[in-house]
Amino acid sequence: MQLKKVLIILFFLLLTVFIISIGVGSVFIPPLRVLKALLSLIGINLGPANDMDLTIVGQIRLPRIIIAMIVGMSLSIAGALVQGLYRNPMADPGIIGTSSGASLGAIICIAFSLNTINIFYLPLFAFAGALLISFLVYRLSTKNNKTPITNLILIGIAVSTFVSSINSLILSNINQYQVSEYIFWMLGSLDGRSWVHVKISFVPLCVLILCSLLFAKRINILILGEEESFTIGVNPEKLKKALLFLVSLITGIAVSVSGPISFVGLIVPHMLRLIVGSDYRRLIPASVLSGGIFLIVCDTIARVLFSPVEVKVGIITSLVGVPYFLYLLKKRENEVSV
């Protein structure tokens, strides 16, 4: 299928799930009333909008859906970039220590009760932790100005495990309320996300997503092999460094406002390869739109599945992701045995 056609289909699918998910909840609002309220909020008046619709859409559901969309897009694009960097379609942003670093930042913030002073502190600490651990993994993996992929994987796993141990150590020395707060954050949730979270994450993530589009052609060359890349004129070390920095920023900001939401970066790009192929000039833009669709749908299921009790969206993505991951492992095992 032509890329243009795929992107048009994905765009209208994203628009559809965006509007429908805003209407779904404890109070159902039909799509046409959602559309009227959305247009009214941006100053386009198509007749008198219901005050209750304006409040529910504008103050409660719209910021949450925007966060779901932008976080889904970000985690998906980060997954696609990491899979290109590692030349492995089963790689995930967590492999470079970003998620464990964000968790460390979050638990330090909670342990010192800084999150009770200012709501910005928790995302700020999570972001700082993500960047710090990603940088540490990169530095430890680099020798003689070269960063072998095997080193990145092994050191990433080792550092993530070490950081998880530190997290456990801190967890065992904080009070029950703080433990609950940390677990609440760790499960990955979009509950209570407001315009404040949109303000701190939307613009930087949009800019970084646009930046990632510029790397598509060079990732295609990197996949051919490092020596071949150098011959063609792409410095693989510089490209790896730029990709790691970009993925750390994207994942760090996304995780800071939503908590670590697993498997989005693995599932979405991998499934898209079946539709658009492995060319990153097609895969990256398709991943952006599909990531938004995937997380909006998962978040809507999380809100309504056991309503009025809300399930964490991270649980829904894991319920989808773990069976799919096992399927991929089994498939790869069969391919190797053949």
Side-chain angles (χ1 to χ4, degrees):
M1 194 182 290
Q2 287 183 343
L3 178 63
K4 191 177 175 183
K5 199 177 284 183
V6 171
L7 293 182
I8 290 172
I9 292 171
L10 289 174
F11 176 76
F12 280 104
L13 200 54
L14 176 63
L15 200 60
T16 304
V17 296
F18 188 89
I19 291 170
I20 291 174
S21 65
I22 290 177
V24 173
S26 53
V27 177
F28 177 72
I29 306 174
L32 282 177
R33 276 170 49 191
V34 171
L35 205 55
K36 188 186 279 188
L38 287 174
L39 291 173
S40 180
L41 287 169
I42 59 173
I44 301 173
N45 200 345
L46 297 180
N50 187 311
D51 287 341
M52 189 178 73
D53 290 354
L54 285 174
T55 303
I56 294 174
V57 172
Q59 299 302 317
I60 301 170
R61 294 183 188 164
L62 183 57
R64 176 174 180 149
I65 303 301
I66 290 175
I67 288 288
M69 180 183 71
I70 197 71
V71 167
M73 288 177 166
S74 303
L75 295 178
S76 174
I77 204 78
L81 294 176
V82 168
Q83 288 168 13
L85 172 67
Y86 287 94
R87 280 166 277 173
N88 186 336
M90 293 173 70
D92 182 87
I95 207 165
I96 56 172
T98 316
S99 299
S100 59
S103 304
L104 178 62
I107 198 170
I108 289 173
C109 181
I110 291 169
F112 288 99
S113 301
L114 297 175
N115 56 316
T116 60
I117 300 171
N118 190 313
I119 61 167
F120 286 106
Y121 284 167
L122 184 57
L124 196 64
F125 270 70
F127 175 62
L131 274 191
L132 181 68
I133 298 302
S134 302
F135 179 74
L136 179 66
V137 170
Y138 173 74
R139 289 302 301 165
L140 291 175
S141 308
T142 303
K143 190 177 180 182
N144 298 328
N145 292 321
K146 290 193 174 181
T147 315
I149 295 299
T150 311
N151 281 11
L152 267 175
I153 294 173
L154 295 176
I155 291 176
I157 292 170
V159 170
S160 294
T161 307
F162 182 71
V163 171
S164 296
S165 302
I166 295 175
N167 290 350
S168 301
L169 194 64
I170 298 173
L171 268 176
S172 60
N173 286 284
I174 57 179
N175 63 47
Q176 193 60 42
Y177 176 73
Q178 290 171 322
V179 171
S180 304
E181 277 192 289
Y182 176 69
I183 292 172
F184 180 83
W185 184 83
M186 270 298 290
L187 288 173
S189 174
L190 300 169
D191 183 25
R193 296 304 178 265
S194 64
W195 287 111
V196 172
H197 298 92
V198 176
K199 283 178 185 172
I200 62 176
S201 63
F202 188 78
V203 173
L205 285 176
C206 284
V207 171
L208 292 169
I209 287 169
L210 289 174
C211 288
S212 67
L213 297 173
L214 304 174
F215 285 90
K217 190 178 176 183
R218 279 179 282 173
I219 294 175
N220 280 343
I221 296 173
L222 181 67
I223 290 172
L224 297 174
E226 297 193 11
E227 287 184 12
E228 289 81 356
S229 303
F230 201 80
T231 307
I232 297 171
V234 173
N235 186 322
E237 290 306 319
K238 282 187 179 175
L239 181 57
K240 281 191 276 185
K241 196 185 293 184
L243 286 174
L244 280 171
F245 185 63
L246 186 60
V247 168
S248 301
L249 281 178
I250 292 175
T251 312
I253 297 173
V255 170
S256 71
V257 293
S258 65
I261 299 176
S262 308
F263 292 104
V264 180
L266 171 68
I267 297 174
V268 177
H270 200 278
M271 291 186 78
L272 278 172
R273 286 174 205 279
L274 304 174
I275 301 170
V276 301
S278 297
D279 186 336
Y280 274 76
R281 289 170 299 181
R282 300 164 63 90
L283 186 62
I284 288 182
S287 293
V288 173
L289 295 170
S290 303
I293 295 167
F294 179 73
L295 201 56
I296 289 175
V297 171
C298 286
D299 183 52
T300 307
I301 293 171
R303 284 192 288 127
V304 302
L305 188 62
F306 295 112
S307 179
V309 177
E310 187 172 309
V311 181
K312 304 300 176 199
V313 68
I315 296 173
I316 301 295
T317 57
S318 295
L319 285 174
V320 177
V322 171
Y324 187 70
F325 185 68
L326 292 174
Y327 161 75
L328 291 179
L329 283 178
K330 197 70 185 169
K331 187 181 171 190
R332 173 163 286 201
E333 191 179 278
N334 292 337
E335 286 172 356
V336 170
S337 64
V338 169

